[in-house]
Amino acid sequence: MGSMTEDGGRLFFRSESFAVKRGERRRGSDRIVQEPAQTVPVHTACDVLVVGGGPAGTAAAVAAARLGADVVLLERYNHLGGLSTGGLVIWIDRMSDWSGRHVIRGFAEELLSRLTPDKIAGPPKADWGSGDPAKVAYWSLRSAAYNNTVTHSPTLDPEWLKAESLAMALEAGVHLIFHAWGASPIVEDGQVAGCIFESKEGRRAVLAKVTIDATGDGDLYARAGAGFVSDVDVRDIHGCMNTAWLFGGVDMDAFLKFRAETPSQFSDFMARGRERLGSFERPVVSWRQDIAVFMGPRLAGYSALKVEDLSEVEIRSRKLMLAHFDFYREHAPGFGDAFIMLSAPQIGVRHGRRLDAAGRLTREMWDGRVAADEIGVSPSLAPKFANISVPYGAIVPRDVGGLLAPGRHLACDATSHSFMREIPQCWLTGHAAGVAAALAADRGCAVADVPIGELRMKLSAQGAYLNPLNAMAID
C-alpha cells in the first residue's frame, strides 16, 4: 500500500498521489444572511452520546453500553462502519506486530471474529510474523506482507461488516439514530453537554453527560473551542482524498500472476495507464478473487474541511473510475469481463484535523516506552521501531470538558498520524473512549479524571491488549 522512507529524522508513509489542476468551481461570496434564533426541541437525553458511527464511534458505543451506560449513537448515513464499510476501505491494516503478536484486539478482534471465512480473507494466524520468502511473496501481492513479514491484515466483505457492526450495537443496547448529522455541540461553561443534530425533522438536540466526537474530522471539538492542528506533509498520502470503487467479474489470480511473473510488462502497463489517464491506480485484492478494490487514485491538494473540495474530489474520482474501467477491460489480464460493481457512498478522507491535547502521541514515543495512561498498543511502521503505546491523553481535549475524541482526529503529530488514522487504531481508541465515557458518566467525574487503573481494568475485561505498567512507564 506504499513505501516508508526516512526524511529529516521523521518517517513518512508514501504512496503515489496525484496533484491535479483545480477545477473552476463557484467563487465564495462575501454576503451573509441572518438566521433567526430558534428554540431547539430535545430529542432525548442519555449518559453517553456518540456522534459518528465509523470504526471509532461504533466501538465506543458498544463498549460504553456494555458497561451499563445509556448510549445514543448519531450517524449521518444508513449504516455503521464509516470508511471500513461505506468508504470501501475493506483492506484492514496491520493488527499484529512484527513478531506476529496480535496487539489490536478487544472490540476489533470480536467484530472480525463474527465474519465467517467466506466474508474475510487473509493470512492464517500461524503465519503472522513469518519471514518465509514464499509466504511473504504470496501475501505481499495480497496486501498482507510488509518489510519481509507476513501480517494480520485481512480484507473483508463491507456489507457483512455493516451487518455485524449493527448487530453488536443492538445487542449491547445502543440507541441508534441514522440519517442524523451532528451539527453543533451544546457547550455550557466550557463543558460539552450534548449535540444539536440536523435531520428530516429539522434541528433537534441530544443531551448527554459525556459526548464522544467520532466524526473523524473533529467537527464537534473544533466547534466547541478545542484547539487543533491540520498540517500534513505534502510528500505523503495523508492529505489526499478519493472515492474508492469495486469492479466485479474479474480474475485477480490472473492479474496477480501478470504482475508477479512479468514485471516488465506490468511496468509498461502502468506507464501506459498513467500516460492515458494521468492519475492511475492498480487494484487491491478483496475477500473474493472475482472482486477487485481500487483505493485510489489519491488526489492531493484538497481539504476535507471544504465542501467545494469534497465535491470536486467526488466528481474527479467517479470520472476516473469510468476511465479505469475502460482501460482495464481493454488491457489488463483478468479484467476482460469486469463490470462496475460499486462506487463508495462515502468519500475516502485521510486527514482533516488533529486534536491539540496534552497527551499528544509523537514520533519521539516510538522508542518502546509505555505511557502511564496507556489505553492500547499499536504496531509500529517498521520492524526497527517498537510497538507504540497509545496514551489516554491523546483523546482528551485540553480546552473543553465533557468530550472525548477517538479516531483519526486524535492528538498526534503528522508522522504518527500515518498509522493512527487507520481502521484498527480507530477501533482501539474508540473502544477506550467508550469505556472512559461510561466510567465518567457513572462516577459524575470529568473525563480527564477517569481513574486510569479502572479504565485499563475494564478495557482488559473487554479483551483489549495492554502492556503492564512498569518501570518503563512515563508520566
Side-chain angles (χ1 to χ4, degrees), residues 4 52 90 147 164 255 261 289 307 322 330 344-345 444 469:
M4 292 174 285
I90 61 174
N147 292 299
E164 295 300 343
F255 182 80
E261 298 182 5
Q289 290 303 309
V307 69
L322 299 180
E330 182 179 355
L469 295 183

Side-chain angles (χ1 to χ4, degrees), residues 182-196:
S184 179
I186 301 168
V187 184
E188 301 172 350
D189 299 323
Q191 296 285 316
V192 175
C195 178
I196 293 172

